[in-house]
Amino acid sequence: AAAEACAELTPVSLQLQWFVQAQFGGYYAAKDKGFYEANCLDVTILEGGVDIVPQTVLAQGGADFAISWVPKALASREQGALITNVAQVFQRSGTLQVSFADKNITTAADFKGKKIGNWGFGNEYEVFAAITKAGLDPASDVELVGQQFDMQALLNGEIDAAEAMTYNEYAQVLEAVNPDTGALYTPEDFNVVNYNDEGVAMYQDAIWASEERLADPEYQDLTQRFVTASLEGWIYCRDNAQECADIITANGSKLGASHQLWMMNEVNKLIWPSPAGVGVIDQAMWDQTVNVALNTKNLEGATIITAEPAAEAFTNQYAEAANAALTADGLNTTGDAFAPIEVTLNEGGN
């Protein structure tokens, strides 16, 4: 529906899983460029934070929609949060293990005998899955070290390999000064283990809706409009990375300009191309995510989930309808010709 045809805009709230940054660029772009308003929506974006669990906020009625990693949301779902994945925005994992090149760590098999950092809090399962798949015992073959959400332990030599997101912590090492040269570190100074390549990647950022409310035709319609406008926002950020980075900065992000643009570019790589259409879940990747979540144990012997999630855990209904509508509007929803831009990082990400 065109905004001018709306009697009034419907208030909608979206709970993010972290602070405002380009990881969420598509939602801010959809609001800034009027895509939500064009779908008769007045969207309030709620920042996340350390103590905010977005899928719990959603399940408890504190927001209409939420952004969460799939394994974390499936864990909450198993614990009683009735939520449904209605758009799988990130099509691949952004998790890396980063090490200095002289450590010769190029695959998970090379973790043996090394100090391997991880964040915990449910972020560690790809690390454990890769260790196990490589035939190593995480309790005896690897020294696992709790890591802060930064790269200081790696840069200070306290650990051999640090967990990092392509769009955030990896940039932090490339924004740091190499004391041996006085210049910034370069990608050649490091090796990265990419968990997509290791075959243990799990789905990350997705849009979640209330399963209970999806029984209501009005909420179904609301979900459709929200998903359609949000995915249009991500298409816009694919084609306008610099503008989307600027939109994020204007919305209060404290990250520096070059770091923000790097993040926008790297997030685009996680979304595009989307061969089945933006937001559409690939069954094979869903199954891999569930398999890792079911069968990977951490040091306490716990897995993310203990049983297969119900069929209601996800639906492609809304993403597929959004793709059809956006394609009819002349937009490319697969990003088959997507090419990332070149981003030059500055010291400290400024």
mmCIF file of all heavy atoms in Angstrom, residues 218-252:
data_model
loop_
_atom_site.group_PDB
_atom_site.id
_atom_site.type_symbol
_atom_site.label_atom_id
_atom_site.label_comp_id
_atom_site.label_asym_id
_atom_site.label_seq_id
_atom_site.Cartn_x
_atom_site.Cartn_y
_atom_site.Cartn_z
ATOM 1 N N GLU A 218 -4.161 -10.163 10.866
ATOM 2 C CA GLU A 218 -3.637 -8.798 10.891
ATOM 3 C C GLU A 218 -2.124 -8.794 11.108
ATOM 4 O O GLU A 218 -1.402 -8.015 10.488
ATOM 5 C CB GLU A 218 -4.340 -7.980 11.978
ATOM 6 C CG GLU A 218 -5.773 -7.605 11.636
ATOM 7 C CD GLU A 218 -6.338 -6.574 12.602
ATOM 8 O OE1 GLU A 218 -5.560 -5.997 13.405
ATOM 9 O OE2 GLU A 218 -7.559 -6.338 12.542
ATOM 10 N N TYR A 219 -1.646 -9.678 11.993
ATOM 11 C CA TYR A 219 -0.199 -9.756 12.228
ATOM 12 C C TYR A 219 0.505 -10.391 11.037
ATOM 13 O O TYR A 219 1.633 -10.028 10.708
ATOM 14 C CB TYR A 219 0.081 -10.548 13.510
ATOM 15 C CG TYR A 219 1.543 -10.620 13.903
ATOM 16 C CD1 TYR A 219 2.228 -9.490 14.361
ATOM 17 C CD2 TYR A 219 2.252 -11.819 13.834
ATOM 18 C CE1 TYR A 219 3.563 -9.552 14.734
ATOM 19 C CE2 TYR A 219 3.590 -11.897 14.202
ATOM 20 C CZ TYR A 219 4.242 -10.764 14.656
ATOM 21 O OH TYR A 219 5.559 -10.833 15.015
ATOM 22 N N GLN A 220 -0.146 -11.320 10.375
ATOM 23 C CA GLN A 220 0.411 -11.880 9.142
ATOM 24 C C GLN A 220 0.641 -10.767 8.118
ATOM 25 O O GLN A 220 1.696 -10.701 7.481
ATOM 26 C CB GLN A 220 -0.535 -12.927 8.557
ATOM 27 C CG GLN A 220 -0.674 -14.193 9.372
ATOM 28 C CD GLN A 220 -1.734 -15.123 8.801
ATOM 29 O OE1 GLN A 220 -2.121 -15.016 7.639
ATOM 30 N NE2 GLN A 220 -2.226 -16.024 9.624
ATOM 31 N N ASP A 221 -0.357 -9.901 7.981
ATOM 32 C CA ASP A 221 -0.242 -8.791 7.032
ATOM 33 C C ASP A 221 0.859 -7.831 7.468
ATOM 34 O O ASP A 221 1.653 -7.350 6.652
ATOM 35 C CB ASP A 221 -1.585 -8.071 6.933
ATOM 36 C CG ASP A 221 -1.502 -6.819 6.067
ATOM 37 O OD1 ASP A 221 -1.235 -6.956 4.855
ATOM 38 O OD2 ASP A 221 -1.680 -5.711 6.598
ATOM 39 N N LEU A 222 0.916 -7.563 8.777
ATOM 40 C CA LEU A 222 1.958 -6.691 9.325
ATOM 41 C C LEU A 222 3.345 -7.279 9.050
ATOM 42 O O LEU A 222 4.266 -6.565 8.626
ATOM 43 C CB LEU A 222 1.745 -6.523 10.829
ATOM 44 C CG LEU A 222 2.647 -5.515 11.550
ATOM 45 C CD1 LEU A 222 2.257 -4.093 11.193
ATOM 46 C CD2 LEU A 222 2.558 -5.724 13.061
ATOM 47 N N THR A 223 3.480 -8.579 9.265
ATOM 48 C CA THR A 223 4.754 -9.257 9.039
ATOM 49 C C THR A 223 5.158 -9.169 7.575
ATOM 50 O O THR A 223 6.326 -8.899 7.255
ATOM 51 C CB THR A 223 4.653 -10.730 9.474
ATOM 52 O OG1 THR A 223 4.351 -10.782 10.875
ATOM 53 C CG2 THR A 223 5.955 -11.479 9.213
ATOM 54 N N GLN A 224 4.192 -9.367 6.682
ATOM 55 C CA GLN A 224 4.503 -9.300 5.264
ATOM 56 C C GLN A 224 5.012 -7.918 4.874
ATOM 57 O O GLN A 224 6.018 -7.784 4.165
ATOM 58 C CB GLN A 224 3.275 -9.658 4.420
ATOM 59 C CG GLN A 224 3.585 -9.784 2.933
ATOM 60 C CD GLN A 224 4.601 -10.870 2.665
ATOM 61 O OE1 GLN A 224 4.303 -12.048 2.803
ATOM 62 N NE2 GLN A 224 5.822 -10.493 2.290
ATOM 63 N N ARG A 225 4.339 -6.894 5.341
ATOM 64 C CA ARG A 225 4.751 -5.532 4.999
ATOM 65 C C ARG A 225 6.109 -5.199 5.598
ATOM 66 O O ARG A 225 6.952 -4.549 4.963
ATOM 67 C CB ARG A 225 3.684 -4.533 5.444
ATOM 68 C CG ARG A 225 2.412 -4.589 4.587
ATOM 69 C CD ARG A 225 1.410 -3.524 4.962
ATOM 70 N NE ARG A 225 0.647 -3.880 6.156
ATOM 71 C CZ ARG A 225 0.390 -3.062 7.171
ATOM 72 N NH1 ARG A 225 0.869 -1.829 7.160
ATOM 73 N NH2 ARG A 225 -0.328 -3.451 8.199
ATOM 74 N N PHE A 226 6.330 -5.660 6.832
ATOM 75 C CA PHE A 226 7.609 -5.379 7.490
ATOM 76 C C PHE A 226 8.754 -6.095 6.785
ATOM 77 O O PHE A 226 9.819 -5.503 6.538
ATOM 78 C CB PHE A 226 7.556 -5.792 8.963
ATOM 79 C CG PHE A 226 8.839 -5.519 9.692
ATOM 80 C CD1 PHE A 226 9.157 -4.242 10.107
ATOM 81 C CD2 PHE A 226 9.760 -6.535 9.914
ATOM 82 C CE1 PHE A 226 10.367 -3.966 10.738
ATOM 83 C CE2 PHE A 226 10.969 -6.283 10.549
ATOM 84 C CZ PHE A 226 11.262 -4.993 10.961
ATOM 85 N N VAL A 227 8.562 -7.367 6.458
ATOM 86 C CA VAL A 227 9.614 -8.126 5.775
ATOM 87 C C VAL A 227 9.903 -7.528 4.404
ATOM 88 O O VAL A 227 11.069 -7.344 4.021
ATOM 89 C CB VAL A 227 9.219 -9.618 5.665
ATOM 90 C CG1 VAL A 227 10.141 -10.355 4.698
ATOM 91 C CG2 VAL A 227 9.244 -10.278 7.036
ATOM 92 N N THR A 228 8.860 -7.193 3.661
ATOM 93 C CA THR A 228 9.055 -6.633 2.322
ATOM 94 C C THR A 228 9.856 -5.334 2.370
ATOM 95 O O THR A 228 10.826 -5.147 1.620
ATOM 96 C CB THR A 228 7.697 -6.389 1.637
ATOM 97 O OG1 THR A 228 6.994 -7.631 1.542
ATOM 98 C CG2 THR A 228 7.876 -5.807 0.245
ATOM 99 N N ALA A 229 9.479 -4.430 3.272
ATOM 100 C CA ALA A 229 10.181 -3.146 3.377
ATOM 101 C C ALA A 229 11.605 -3.327 3.884
ATOM 102 O O ALA A 229 12.538 -2.658 3.420
ATOM 103 C CB ALA A 229 9.407 -2.209 4.295
ATOM 104 N N SER A 230 11.800 -4.254 4.830
ATOM 105 C CA SER A 230 13.144 -4.489 5.372
ATOM 106 C C SER A 230 14.073 -5.034 4.303
ATOM 107 O O SER A 230 15.229 -4.597 4.180
ATOM 108 C CB SER A 230 13.071 -5.466 6.546
ATOM 109 O OG SER A 230 12.338 -4.930 7.625
ATOM 110 N N LEU A 231 13.597 -5.984 3.516
ATOM 111 C CA LEU A 231 14.433 -6.561 2.464
ATOM 112 C C LEU A 231 14.727 -5.523 1.380
ATOM 113 O O LEU A 231 15.821 -5.529 0.792
ATOM 114 C CB LEU A 231 13.769 -7.803 1.881
ATOM 115 C CG LEU A 231 13.583 -8.965 2.870
ATOM 116 C CD1 LEU A 231 12.949 -10.164 2.188
ATOM 117 C CD2 LEU A 231 14.904 -9.351 3.534
ATOM 118 N N GLU A 232 13.783 -4.615 1.143
ATOM 119 C CA GLU A 232 14.067 -3.520 0.218
ATOM 120 C C GLU A 232 15.189 -2.651 0.771
ATOM 121 O O GLU A 232 16.048 -2.154 0.024
ATOM 122 C CB GLU A 232 12.810 -2.684 -0.042
ATOM 123 C CG GLU A 232 13.029 -1.603 -1.084
ATOM 124 C CD GLU A 232 11.766 -0.829 -1.461
ATOM 125 O OE1 GLU A 232 10.686 -1.119 -0.901
ATOM 126 O OE2 GLU A 232 11.868 0.059 -2.332
ATOM 127 N N GLY A 233 15.203 -2.474 2.087
ATOM 128 C CA GLY A 233 16.288 -1.718 2.712
ATOM 129 C C GLY A 233 17.638 -2.364 2.493
ATOM 130 O O GLY A 233 18.638 -1.684 2.219
ATOM 131 N N TRP A 234 17.668 -3.697 2.562
ATOM 132 C CA TRP A 234 18.935 -4.403 2.344
ATOM 133 C C TRP A 234 19.365 -4.331 0.885
ATOM 134 O O TRP A 234 20.567 -4.236 0.589
ATOM 135 C CB TRP A 234 18.830 -5.848 2.821
ATOM 136 C CG TRP A 234 18.925 -5.957 4.306
ATOM 137 C CD1 TRP A 234 17.949 -6.346 5.180
ATOM 138 C CD2 TRP A 234 20.067 -5.637 5.105
ATOM 139 N NE1 TRP A 234 18.411 -6.293 6.470
ATOM 140 C CE2 TRP A 234 19.709 -5.865 6.446
ATOM 141 C CE3 TRP A 234 21.354 -5.196 4.817
ATOM 142 C CZ2 TRP A 234 20.606 -5.648 7.495
ATOM 143 C CZ3 TRP A 234 22.244 -4.974 5.858
ATOM 144 C CH2 TRP A 234 21.858 -5.203 7.187
ATOM 145 N N ILE A 235 18.416 -4.353 -0.023
ATOM 146 C CA ILE A 235 18.750 -4.167 -1.438
ATOM 147 C C ILE A 235 19.354 -2.777 -1.647
ATOM 148 O O ILE A 235 20.342 -2.610 -2.367
ATOM 149 C CB ILE A 235 17.502 -4.366 -2.319
ATOM 150 C CG1 ILE A 235 17.072 -5.842 -2.297
ATOM 151 C CG2 ILE A 235 17.759 -3.919 -3.751
ATOM 152 C CD1 ILE A 235 15.721 -6.104 -2.939
ATOM 153 N N TYR A 236 18.776 -1.786 -0.986
ATOM 154 C CA TYR A 236 19.292 -0.420 -1.105
ATOM 155 C C TYR A 236 20.731 -0.338 -0.588
ATOM 156 O O TYR A 236 21.592 0.296 -1.221
ATOM 157 C CB TYR A 236 18.384 0.559 -0.346
ATOM 158 C CG TYR A 236 18.695 1.995 -0.659
ATOM 159 C CD1 TYR A 236 18.141 2.624 -1.771
ATOM 160 C CD2 TYR A 236 19.571 2.723 0.142
ATOM 161 C CE1 TYR A 236 18.455 3.943 -2.085
ATOM 162 C CE2 TYR A 236 19.888 4.038 -0.165
ATOM 163 C CZ TYR A 236 19.322 4.644 -1.283
ATOM 164 O OH TYR A 236 19.647 5.946 -1.593
ATOM 165 N N CYS A 237 21.000 -0.995 0.539
ATOM 166 C CA CYS A 237 22.353 -0.945 1.101
ATOM 167 C C CYS A 237 23.352 -1.719 0.247
ATOM 168 O O CYS A 237 24.535 -1.381 0.226
ATOM 169 C CB CYS A 237 22.348 -1.475 2.531
ATOM 170 S SG CYS A 237 21.613 -0.325 3.713
ATOM 171 N N ARG A 238 22.883 -2.744 -0.441
ATOM 172 C CA ARG A 238 23.757 -3.443 -1.387
ATOM 173 C C ARG A 238 24.254 -2.488 -2.464
ATOM 174 O O ARG A 238 25.432 -2.509 -2.841
ATOM 175 C CB ARG A 238 22.972 -4.597 -2.037
ATOM 176 C CG ARG A 238 23.747 -5.371 -3.112
ATOM 177 C CD ARG A 238 22.807 -6.259 -3.910
ATOM 178 N NE ARG A 238 21.906 -5.475 -4.769
ATOM 179 C CZ ARG A 238 20.744 -5.920 -5.237
ATOM 180 N NH1 ARG A 238 20.298 -7.122 -4.922
ATOM 181 N NH2 ARG A 238 20.004 -5.141 -6.023
ATOM 182 N N ASP A 239 23.356 -1.641 -2.947
ATOM 183 C CA ASP A 239 23.672 -0.768 -4.077
ATOM 184 C C ASP A 239 24.162 0.611 -3.650
ATOM 185 O O ASP A 239 24.619 1.384 -4.496
ATOM 186 C CB ASP A 239 22.429 -0.617 -4.963
ATOM 187 C CG ASP A 239 21.936 -1.950 -5.509
ATOM 188 O OD1 ASP A 239 22.761 -2.878 -5.640
ATOM 189 O OD2 ASP A 239 20.722 -2.069 -5.786
ATOM 190 N N ASN A 240 24.087 0.912 -2.356
ATOM 191 C CA ASN A 240 24.454 2.243 -1.855
ATOM 192 C C ASN A 240 25.166 2.111 -0.506
ATOM 193 O O ASN A 240 24.713 2.649 0.511
ATOM 194 C CB ASN A 240 23.210 3.121 -1.703
ATOM 195 C CG ASN A 240 22.440 3.297 -2.998
ATOM 196 O OD1 ASN A 240 22.744 4.165 -3.803
ATOM 197 N ND2 ASN A 240 21.429 2.463 -3.216
ATOM 198 N N ALA A 241 26.289 1.403 -0.512
ATOM 199 C CA ALA A 241 26.969 1.086 0.748
ATOM 200 C C ALA A 241 27.391 2.344 1.503
ATOM 201 O O ALA A 241 27.216 2.435 2.723
ATOM 202 C CB ALA A 241 28.173 0.189 0.480
ATOM 203 N N GLN A 242 27.956 3.313 0.808
ATOM 204 C CA GLN A 242 28.430 4.521 1.492
ATOM 205 C C GLN A 242 27.261 5.288 2.109
ATOM 206 O O GLN A 242 27.345 5.740 3.258
ATOM 207 C CB GLN A 242 29.184 5.422 0.514
ATOM 208 C CG GLN A 242 29.724 6.707 1.158
ATOM 209 C CD GLN A 242 30.789 6.451 2.194
ATOM 210 O OE1 GLN A 242 31.884 6.006 1.882
ATOM 211 N NE2 GLN A 242 30.468 6.717 3.471
ATOM 212 N N GLU A 243 26.162 5.420 1.376
ATOM 213 C CA GLU A 243 25.019 6.145 1.932
ATOM 214 C C GLU A 243 24.462 5.433 3.152
ATOM 215 O O GLU A 243 24.086 6.073 4.138
ATOM 216 C CB GLU A 243 23.922 6.323 0.872
ATOM 217 C CG GLU A 243 22.764 7.172 1.388
ATOM 218 C CD GLU A 243 21.636 7.339 0.387
ATOM 219 O OE1 GLU A 243 21.792 6.950 -0.781
ATOM 220 O OE2 GLU A 243 20.571 7.874 0.800
ATOM 221 N N CYS A 244 24.407 4.104 3.107
ATOM 222 C CA CYS A 244 23.885 3.367 4.259
ATOM 223 C C CYS A 244 24.809 3.510 5.465
ATOM 224 O O CYS A 244 24.336 3.614 6.599
ATOM 225 C CB CYS A 244 23.670 1.903 3.904
ATOM 226 S SG CYS A 244 22.106 1.615 3.038
ATOM 227 N N ALA A 245 26.116 3.519 5.232
ATOM 228 C CA ALA A 245 27.049 3.754 6.331
ATOM 229 C C ALA A 245 26.813 5.137 6.930
ATOM 230 O O ALA A 245 26.837 5.317 8.156
ATOM 231 C CB ALA A 245 28.483 3.618 5.834
ATOM 232 N N ASP A 246 26.539 6.113 6.075
ATOM 233 C CA ASP A 246 26.259 7.471 6.558
ATOM 234 C C ASP A 246 24.943 7.521 7.341
ATOM 235 O O ASP A 246 24.832 8.241 8.344
ATOM 236 C CB ASP A 246 26.196 8.444 5.382
ATOM 237 C CG ASP A 246 27.534 8.619 4.682
ATOM 238 O OD1 ASP A 246 28.578 8.284 5.288
ATOM 239 O OD2 ASP A 246 27.540 9.083 3.522
ATOM 240 N N ILE A 247 23.947 6.761 6.889
ATOM 241 C CA ILE A 247 22.661 6.704 7.599
ATOM 242 C C ILE A 247 22.863 6.148 9.003
ATOM 243 O O ILE A 247 22.295 6.663 9.980
ATOM 244 C CB ILE A 247 21.641 5.848 6.808
ATOM 245 C CG1 ILE A 247 21.182 6.591 5.555
ATOM 246 C CG2 ILE A 247 20.435 5.479 7.675
ATOM 247 C CD1 ILE A 247 20.363 5.743 4.595
ATOM 248 N N ILE A 248 23.681 5.111 9.115
ATOM 249 C CA ILE A 248 23.961 4.514 10.421
ATOM 250 C C ILE A 248 24.648 5.528 11.334
ATOM 251 O O ILE A 248 24.298 5.677 12.509
ATOM 252 C CB ILE A 248 24.824 3.254 10.252
ATOM 253 C CG1 ILE A 248 24.004 2.129 9.616
ATOM 254 C CG2 ILE A 248 25.401 2.798 11.587
ATOM 255 C CD1 ILE A 248 22.891 1.601 10.483
ATOM 256 N N THR A 249 25.628 6.244 10.808
ATOM 257 C CA THR A 249 26.320 7.263 11.596
ATOM 258 C C THR A 249 25.343 8.330 12.066
ATOM 259 O O THR A 249 25.379 8.759 13.227
ATOM 260 C CB THR A 249 27.450 7.896 10.771
ATOM 261 O OG1 THR A 249 28.389 6.869 10.407
ATOM 262 C CG2 THR A 249 28.163 8.972 11.567
ATOM 263 N N ALA A 250 24.452 8.737 11.171
ATOM 264 C CA ALA A 250 23.458 9.764 11.524
ATOM 265 C C ALA A 250 22.497 9.276 12.592
ATOM 266 O O ALA A 250 21.897 10.092 13.311
ATOM 267 C CB ALA A 250 22.690 10.179 10.273
ATOM 268 N N ASN A 251 22.356 7.957 12.733
ATOM 269 C CA ASN A 251 21.464 7.407 13.749
ATOM 270 C C ASN A 251 22.174 7.121 15.070
ATOM 271 O O ASN A 251 21.621 6.439 15.928
ATOM 272 C CB ASN A 251 20.793 6.140 13.220
ATOM 273 C CG ASN A 251 19.543 6.452 12.410
ATOM 274 O OD1 ASN A 251 18.455 6.616 12.935
ATOM 275 N ND2 ASN A 251 19.714 6.551 11.088
ATOM 276 N N GLY A 252 23.390 7.641 15.201
ATOM 277 C CA GLY A 252 24.028 7.637 16.509
ATOM 278 C C GLY A 252 25.107 6.612 16.735
ATOM 279 O O GLY A 252 25.587 6.453 17.861
#
